[in-house]
Amino acid sequence: MAESGSDFDVVVVGGGAAGAAAARRLHDASIRCLIVEARSRLGGRAWTVTDASGFTLDLGCGWLHSADRNPWVAVAEAQGAAIDKTAPPWMRPAIEQGFSRTEQTEFGRAMMSFFARLEDAAQNPADMPGAAVLDPASRWNGLINAVSTYISGAEWDLVSVRDFDRFEDSGINWRIVEGFGTVISKHGADLPVTLDCQVRNIDHSGRRLRIETSKGAIAADQVIVTVSSALLAAERIRFTPALPAKTAAAAGLPLGLADKLFMSLEGAEEFEKDVRLFGHTDRAGTGGYHFRPFGRPLIEAYFGGTQAHALEAGGDEAFFDFAVAELTGVLGNDFAKRIKPIRVHRWGDDPFALGSYSYAKPGSADCRATLAAPVDGRLFFAGEACSAHDFSTAHGGWHTGVAAAEQVIAARRASGTLG
Ligand SMILES: Cc1cc2nc3c(=O)[nH]c(=O)nc-3n(C[C@H](O)[C@H](O)[C@H](O)COP(=O)(O)OP(=O)(O)OC[C@H]3O[C@@H](n4cnc5c(N)ncnc54)[C@H](O)[C@@H]3O)c2cc1C
């Protein structure tokens, strides 16, 4: 329990992917560290819940992207979790109702040539939004924008081409049967943690840092701040003295919005395992419906960007109503009787996230390096938005957390406080 007067070498603010990875590295280096987490659980934007049938549902991250080089794979395996290597729905043919195989091929080609134009545009000295390289004559621009809302949580008119091009993806995507959130929260669970404790201000004006929280103040030599870029931009944590360069960098890296809705599906065997259906193929405001994830009788619906904002404004029921309207539109009215809502989480309304994952505004790609830069050898920053090439992901969180921990270790060695 962190109470007034508590004293640690290092405080890690936030116990998500970055915070758990950072604290684990510090702990292994025999540095006395404490994770201070505002929620009543670890994991942050990684969150697994279990439904009434006992199925694990990842309300946040679910995919081990770039799985062949993703550090969470080894963590999951060490915990004894099972890795599912089934190809993801976006890399296999979609359900053909409303989207014939010929149309799917055409869309695939349009998407590939759009990505090729993005890559070329990224070499341009001036950054630009992804929408600048849409082909005005293409019939697939709506769906290409929908894909952006799933990848970045925002339509292409908001997303920097330079930043998007820096993202590295090996194309290998796996999942964890017990849940990605389960693994990430377990990674920090046996470390010193204070839950339900909100950091409000970090005073770095004195010889030691004073971390002011809802449960009192903690003194430390160094701090690693891992909260989302949206929270930093909104100054939900303040610094004394203020750090305007950090606030500005965070504002260049807003969180896009993507939300999942899980539904039960009766007569699921009619559909192949792990296949996708789009609610519409002619617009950005449509859900991606993943049928039978892990072969389970469920649908995992994904909504992003402007559409997700509109649904959040309507409350949890709006998600299910929208899904029913889209799915019956493609599969017929009787389909409504086969689905029931299980769970949704509104990440935009979540006060300790304020969104789903970061993208860079056009002209702001270099904000990631500014956000990640340490201040004064005492304040360190981590979290997916700080990652140059793995941003928006849980493995980006891991890498930035470990990098910040290594910086702390180097600073302590340099000052003689670590042998
Ligand atoms: C719907 C959705 C789907 C996703 N899908 C994938 C996917 O398939 N694959 C993938 O790799 N990634 C995915 N992501 C992204 C991934 O979940 C995040 O990039 C990653 O979890 C971020 O980790 P983090 O440690 O940087 O931040 P966070 O997880 O946000 O951790 C920061 C922590 O700080 C805490 N905090 C906030 N304010 C305070 C405060 N004042 N005081 C103390 N603590 C505070 C928060 O509660 C949180 O626990 C998805 C995210 C969402 C929302």
Side-chain angles (χ1 to χ4, degrees), residues 12-20 36-47 58-65 70 72 90 150 174 180 184 194 197-200 213 226-228 231 236-237 255-260 300 302-303 345 347 350-353 355-358 382-386 390-398 400:
V12 176
V13 181
V36 179
E37 168 56 54
R39 301 176 195 267
S40 52
R41 59 171 182 84
L42 291 176
R45 283 172 273 164
W47 187 18
D58 271 315
L59 296 172
C61 56
W63 291 97
L64 292 154
H65 296 307
N70 189 318
W72 290 113
W90 64 89
Y150 310 145
W174 298 338
F180 206 161
I184 292 178
T194 296
C197 185
Q198 227 174 302
V199 171
R200 293 184 173 138
T213 80
T226 74
V227 304
S228 78
L231 289 165
R236 294 287 170 94
I237 293 181
L255 291 199
L257 188 59
D259 291 324
K260 292 180 191 175
E300 180 177 325
Y302 212 78
F303 307 100
H345 184 65
W347 288 101
D350 184 322
F352 302 121
S356 301
Y357 29 83
S358 67
E384 56 85 9
C386 295
D390 296 313
F391 48 83
S392 81
T393 68
H395 59 284
W398 189 95
T400 59

Side-chain angles (χ1 to χ4, degrees), residues 182-397:
T182 305
V183 167
I184 292 178
S185 59
K186 242 191 200 173
H187 194 54
D190 61 346
L191 300 173
V193 175
T194 296
L195 296 175
D196 296 308
C197 185
Q198 227 174 302
V199 171
R200 293 184 173 138
N201 187 53
I202 298 173
D203 185 336
H204 57 114
S205 59
R207 197 180 58 81
R208 296 205 82 206
L209 302 177
R210 187 182 149 82
I211 293 104
E212 292 158 9
T213 80
S214 51
K215 291 185 174 176
I218 310 165
D221 298 331
Q222 280 120 345
V223 66
I224 299 179
V225 178
T226 74
V227 304
S228 78
S229 51
L231 289 165
L232 289 175
E235 298 189 84
R236 294 287 170 94
I237 293 181
R238 293 187 174 274
F239 295 89
T240 310
L243 300 175
K246 289 287 174 200
T247 313
L253 304 167
L255 291 199
L257 188 59
D259 291 324
K260 292 180 191 175
L261 161 71
F262 288 88
M263 293 170 276
S264 61
L265 171 63
E266 245 180 65
E269 315 70 45
E270 186 201 328
F271 299 93
E272 241 183 275
K273 295 176 186 170
D274 288 303
V275 282
R276 180 161 74 172
L277 176 148
F278 290 113
H280 288 88
T281 57
D282 61 352
R283 64 194 67 173
T286 189
Y289 300 87
H290 177 177
F291 279 61
R292 300 189 66 196
F294 298 101
R296 295 165 179 168
L298 303 173
I299 300 176
E300 180 177 325
Y302 212 78
F303 307 100
T306 306
Q307 184 61 52
H309 282 283
L311 294 176
E312 285 208 2
D316 284 1
E317 309 73 42
F319 285 83
F320 184 62
D321 292 347
F322 185 80
V324 170
E326 284 212 303
L327 290 170
T328 54
V330 179
L331 299 171
N333 283 343
D334 282 353
F335 192 75
K337 295 184 202 127
R338 296 170 58 180
I339 50 176
K340 288 199 174 60
I342 300 176
R343 188 74 189 253
V344 67
H345 184 65
R346 289 179 272 133
W347 288 101
D349 276 354
D350 184 322
F352 302 121
L354 298 184
S356 301
Y357 29 83
S358 67
Y359 65 91
K361 291 180 182 172
S364 297
D366 294 338
C367 287
R368 298 200 187 275
T370 309
L371 190 64
V375 176
D376 187 26
R378 299 197 298 168
L379 310 180
F380 297 85
F381 292 82
E384 56 85 9
C386 295
S387 171
H389 305 294
D390 296 313
F391 48 83
S392 81
T393 68
H395 59 284

Side-chain angles (χ1 to χ4, degrees), residues 118 121 127-134 156-161 361-363:
L118 272 186
D127 195 8
M128 63 186 88
V133 298
L134 283 170
W156 287 115
D157 57 337
L158 299 176
V159 178
S160 154
V161 159
K361 291 180 182 172

